[in-house]
Amino acid sequence: MSGIGIDNTSKKAVTEDYVRFLEMRLQELQAELQWVKKEREYYRNQVEKMMTPPLVEATVLEVLDDDRAIVKSTTGPNLVVRILGSVDREALRPGVRVALNQRGSAIVEVLPTREDPYVRAMEVIERPNVRWEDVGGLEDVKQLVREVVELPLKYPEMFKEVGIEPPKGVLLYGPPGTGKTLIAKAVAGETNATFIKLVASELAQKFVGEGARIVREVFALARKKAPSIILIDEIDAIAGKRMEVGTSGEREINRTLTQLLAELDGFDPLDRVKVIATTNRLDVIDPALLRPGRFDRIIEVPPPDYRGRLEIFRIHTRRMKLGKDVDLAYLAKITEGATGADIKAICTEAGYNAIRARRKVVKMEDFLKAVESVLKGRFRPYVQTGPSESEERHVI
Ligand code: ATP
């Protein structure tokens, strides 16, 4: 009797297990079905997009009434076209870009305005509020930049008296996120100068003549707003070694670089305009740019050492409410190889961790988690071997 009882009980348990397994499997399959449906939807959309005929671009010349407008199509003639009911009438003004259906008989969409390349490639800050104390570590770099950029801007007469010409520009090179832009902002901040940032990779994508035009206008603006610091970010995008033959894109880049060289040669070293260029790729820079009178100082901006990292941690935690257990020296030790940008990201992430835990005070555990998530693969846990908190160098 009891044997049969056990048999039935275990059979029941096995069956229940199997039912549970089937239920789980069902849930999994349902989830998979949802996913497959989404995938099908996505690809169906893609196919539809591929099948729809291209639209014709046109510019509105005049809106006649609620239903009709005169447009100039990019294919040629001026056309009187219908306006589809779904088109936003408010946005329909002379000069606006629109899309016509393929037969060119109706406006089907108002297109976004083309962003001014001049605006996209440039940023102007009148007297940025960054100071040298906001730049951690990099003592040698700061010293050099002070001598060759800050001094001539502040005391040009000193250079005249001594009879020497300061460099017109410096080239900062080093890995991304090591503070090159920050240094340029700090010089501008310290000298009450206008900071003008030019993104060279944006210039490289411009239409014929535009890159060169922007370079010319930026130098004109810098002179007008002097003292000025022009920062040319990622200069390698326009100053790669020049090639003999190339595509029209390359010719355009050459034109932009030629304009830049002309501008550099054209101004006086004591004009109160200084140019700071940055790159991560010193090896590809055209030597013409490095000749005396152009970027004749080349300064390396390396990732921070232990002391630098500690300073950067201090800078970026200045305004944070830190728990008593937070040990910045320890954090500086375990983040070997991290850049200033990484450290800033760690501090921000630690703050988020505290917010997630509904705390206003940021604790050490928040920082440790942040180190792990920001540095991910690069992070190697540090094993402390003794009370070496003040140690300067540390091998992990
Ligand atoms: P990229 O080559 O990618 O343009 P970069 O070298 O110009 O990088 P920055 O843009 O200056 O790097 O750095 C990004 C941010 O990281 C800075 O705004 C700053 O908050 C922080 N940072 C980097 N280096 C330092 C530093 N030495 N001291 C303090 N903060 C730093």
Side-chain angles (χ1 to χ4, degrees), residues 130-152 154 170-173 178-188 190-191 229 276 297-302 304-305 307-316 318:
V130 181
R131 295 286 178 274
W132 284 124
E133 67 200 35
D134 300 314
V135 184
L138 301 174
E139 292 312 322
D140 299 346
V141 179
K142 285 198 256 184
Q143 178 64 26
L144 267 170
V145 174
R146 274 185 141 142
E147 279 171 14
V148 297
V149 184
E150 193 178 314
L151 274 186
K154 273 188 170 164
V170 296
L171 178 65
L172 303 180
Y173 77 96
T178 42
K180 298 183 287 298
T181 308
L182 193 68
I183 289 170
K185 277 191 184 156
V187 189
E190 293 281 349
T191 51
I229 301 282
I276 298 180
R297 285 296 168 96
I298 303 168
I299 302 173
E300 185 186 1
V301 184
D305 56 8
R307 191 195 278 263
R309 292 195 299 278
L310 181 56
E311 263 182 45
I312 301 172
F313 265 113
R314 285 201 183 117
I315 289 169
H316 289 290
R318 270 196 306 230

Side-chain angles (χ1 to χ4, degrees), residues 255-279:
R255 215 168 289 154
T256 309
L257 175 58
T258 308
Q259 184 65 42
L260 173 63
L261 296 178
E263 292 293 344
L264 283 172
D265 293 344
F267 78 85
D268 191 275
L270 293 171
D271 253 358
R272 314 226 310 154
V273 174
K274 293 279 165 228
V275 188
I276 298 180
T278 73
T279 181

Side-chain angles (χ1 to χ4, degrees), residues 215-232:
V215 168
R216 215 170 27 243
E217 286 178 13
V218 159
F219 275 81
L221 179 74
R223 268 186 222 112
K224 204 169 107 195
K225 298 219 170 225
S228 304
I229 301 282
I230 302 177
L231 171 70
I232 306 178

Side-chain angles (χ1 to χ4, degrees), residues 327-338:
D327 182 350
L328 297 182
Y330 177 75
L331 290 169
K333 269 176 208 159
I334 64 169
T335 46
E336 202 180 307

